[in-house]
Amino acid sequence: MAYAYRTTEKLKQFFVEVGELAYFAMRYFKEVLKPPLEFKELLRQCYHMGNRSIILVGVTGFIIGLVLTLQSRPTLMEFGAVSWMPNMVGISIVREIGPVITALICAGRIASGIGAELGSMRVTEQIDAMEVSGTNPFKYLVVTRITATTLMLPILVVFGDTIALYGSALVENLKGDVSFQLYFNTVFDALEFGDLIPATVKSFFFGFTIGLVGCYKGYYSKKGTAGVGIAANTAVVTASLLLFVVDFIAVFVSDIFYDL
Amino acid sequence: MAKTTLENLRLGIFVVIGTALLVVASYLIGNRQNMFGKTLTISAIFNNANGLQLGNNVRFSGIQVGTVKAIEMLNDTTIQVYMIIDRKVQRHIKKDAVATIGSDGLVGSMILNILPGKGTDATIEEGDILKSYSRIASQDMLSTLNTTNENAAILTSNLVHVTEALTNGKGTMGLLLNDTLMASDLTQTINHLKNASSNADHTLRKLNSLLDRIDMEKSAAGILLNDSVNGIKIQNMIANLERSSMEMAKMTENLNLVVDDVKEGEGVVHYLANDTVLVNTLDNTLKNIEEGSVKFNENMEALKHNFLTRRYFRKLEKKEKKQNNEE
């Protein structure tokens, strides 16, 4: 009985959270269109989220490209299909691995950062103070951050993809005597707009998800210093989980539109 | 403030580079699909698209020159494939070029190949329809292979029967393979055949030498073989012989008639041949004549001793003796 009660409570809590998140998102859309725009804050957030993540995304992308090529090489060699490596790696990185890995890295770095920052602001009652002083905290803190993540993530994905492909090309160049020109020629031969456009569009949604979850968790963090930790932690977990849900929906939709 | 500007500058560079990368990637992909640059559209009609898809590459003599733009089904057996061709290669493709659908490697995607014609025709223009050549689809090949396989199965089952029969020693071939006696017989036969052929060879040599020795002009055989006049004579002879044989045939017919008459007719001969009473009578008559002649001889002997005729007989005897002496 207690178990059933707990389950229903958790279920209720889940639905409440989903509803609150949806409301939070709606509020974002309402506020983002309303002037004035906190442009400077937006740029600052963009810098912090974009530029500061380049190294992390770059290193991850490079290693992913490198490892993917190294790992699939023996299997492809078994089939005598090493020449198909650029096609395989190119398509898998551009379509799926690049956006998802970059988004997960950013969820770890950005969502937790936003969660902790807004959480501590909530705990130290800075948000309340802003409300009192007549500044719209939602517009200043949340809208700028969500917009920044939404705009920055696709660019980070492009960077990540490029570096990952470069890492893969490096392996092919060293191990398989494939020139960089031939490698990238083959990659772009294999790629179509049907691969690039859905992946790019998907990245915007990933960015939006990361910003939204991070802001939501921080904005509504519980009182006390423990609340900050919880906000940061749950922001990462929820954002990562939600990323996969969004990814699934994105693939599902692009499947319909692009007829994979 | 300076810090913010530097941050913004870095952000700007980051965004510009990121966007540029995206644009370059899009351009490269688009360029592959001939979305930019001057192009022209031509088409070809096929019976079977062989799994050709939009965006598949078009190659002219093995060089990438464009992409498949549209595939349209005109009717149940006619498919029109539109392709975008780079204008740079337009002058190389003539109107007599032939389009075929092939695959890029064994497992690669389909490609549309344009094979150059004789090169004497005019260059292609916008909207031209190229001649096409439908390659054998893999399915057709497989169905043909299937038939071949079925035939092979029948053949092998027959072969099994044959080999079984062979191993069991059935039939001539089986005997040949298994019967050792027959093998020795065969060896003997072959030996005999060898002997016979060597004998025949010997005989032929002899015959040849004999023929060489025949004087073709003077000997009878030579004349027979060579002389045309004698040949005609012989022909005549044969013709005469034929005639004679025909006459003989007539004669035998007549004879047959006579014999028939003798058998069944009413003449004397018939009676002579058939009437036993007459034969007896004749026999008796002949006996009587014989007896008569014996008696006549007796009478003659008596006459010789008769005084009246003795003189005459002595004269005859003397004459005979005289003649014998003279001889």
Side-chain angles (χ1 to χ4, degrees), chain B residues 129-248:
Chain B
I129 298 176
L130 291 183
K131 275 179 280 180
S132 75
Y133 155 73
S134 287
R135 70 167 203 154
I136 305 165
S138 52
Q139 216 158 3
D140 296 341
M141 284 201 290
L142 284 177
S143 70
T144 316
L145 257 181
N146 192 32
T147 323
T148 317
N149 276 342
E150 279 169 8
N151 291 342
I154 295 166
L155 277 175
T156 44
S157 74
N158 288 342
L159 258 179
V160 167
H161 283 301
V162 170
T163 46
E164 268 178 10
L166 279 177
T167 45
N168 293 336
K170 284 180 192 166
T172 318
M173 295 295 274
L175 275 178
L176 274 174
L177 281 178
N178 295 310
D179 199 335
T180 46
L181 279 175
M182 189 152 175
S184 67
D185 284 356
L186 261 176
T187 324
Q188 274 184 355
T189 315
I190 286 163
N191 282 336
H192 290 160
L193 264 173
K194 264 187 191 170
N195 287 336
S197 66
S198 72
N199 286 342
D201 186 47
H202 192 64
T203 318
L204 275 171
R205 275 169 205 277
K206 271 188 175 174
L207 253 175
N208 271 335
S209 63
L210 203 71
L211 279 170
D212 285 343
R213 265 185 278 149
I214 289 173
D215 189 350
M216 281 298 178
E217 285 183 356
K218 288 176 183 172
S219 70
I223 288 163
L224 272 173
L225 288 171
N226 291 320
D227 198 335
S228 56
V229 179
N230 279 321
I232 291 164
K233 276 183 187 170
I234 287 163
Q235 269 184 351
N236 287 337
M237 264 166 68
I238 289 164
N240 288 339
L241 266 173
E242 208 178 327
R243 232 177 291 144
S244 309
S245 68
M246 279 168 76
E247 277 167 11
M248 275 173 80

Side-chain angles (χ1 to χ4, degrees), chain A residues 61-260:
Chain A
F62 184 75
I63 291 169
I64 286 289
L66 208 84
V67 167
L68 187 68
T69 313
L70 279 172
Q71 295 276 48
S72 33
R73 240 185 113 72
T75 317
L76 284 180
M77 270 173 93
E78 219 168 278
F79 291 108
V82 189
S83 61
W84 289 82
M85 180 73 83
N87 302 39
M88 192 206 83
V89 173
I91 289 174
S92 49
I93 283 178
V94 170
R95 282 186 89 121
E96 195 59 37
I97 295 172
V100 170
I101 293 290
T102 310
L104 283 177
I105 292 289
C106 290
R109 205 193 95 81
I110 299 169
S112 66
I114 296 171
E117 197 184 356
L118 292 193
S120 59
M121 282 173 97
R122 169 67 71 190
V123 169
T124 52
E125 296 177 343
Q126 286 181 51
I127 295 171
D128 300 324
M130 280 171 89
E131 268 175 16
V132 171
S133 68
T135 319
N136 186 350
F138 194 91
K139 197 160 180 64
Y140 187 78
L141 298 174
V142 175
V143 170
T144 50
R145 278 169 175 77
I146 294 179
T147 313
T149 50
T150 310
L151 292 177
M152 285 300 108
L153 203 80
I155 299 172
L156 284 172
V157 167
V158 171
F159 266 93
D161 285 358
T162 312
I163 293 167
L165 284 176
Y166 181 77
S168 171
L170 197 69
V171 173
E172 280 293 288
N173 188 260
L174 294 175
K175 283 207 152 192
D177 288 331
V178 178
S179 71
F180 282 96
Q181 193 185 0
L182 176 62
Y183 186 89
F184 281 100
N185 260 340
T186 321
V187 167
F188 285 112
D189 240 2
L191 285 178
E192 285 169 13
F193 281 118
D195 302 318
L196 190 68
I197 292 170
T200 312
V201 173
K202 192 161 74 176
S203 308
F204 280 104
F205 284 100
F206 284 171
F208 177 74
T209 309
I210 292 165
L212 185 77
V213 173
C215 288
Y216 169 76
K217 289 289 178 188
Y219 201 77
Y220 293 113
S221 79
K222 291 187 177 70
K223 300 285 176 187
T225 41
V228 180
I230 292 168
N233 191 15
T234 49
V236 175
V237 174
T238 316
S240 304
L241 197 73
L242 212 59
L243 277 177
F244 285 106
V245 176
V246 171
D247 188 38
F248 168 70
I249 295 166
V251 170
F252 199 70
V253 171
S254 66
D255 191 15
I256 295 164
F257 279 104
Y258 277 91
D259 195 31
L260 292 170

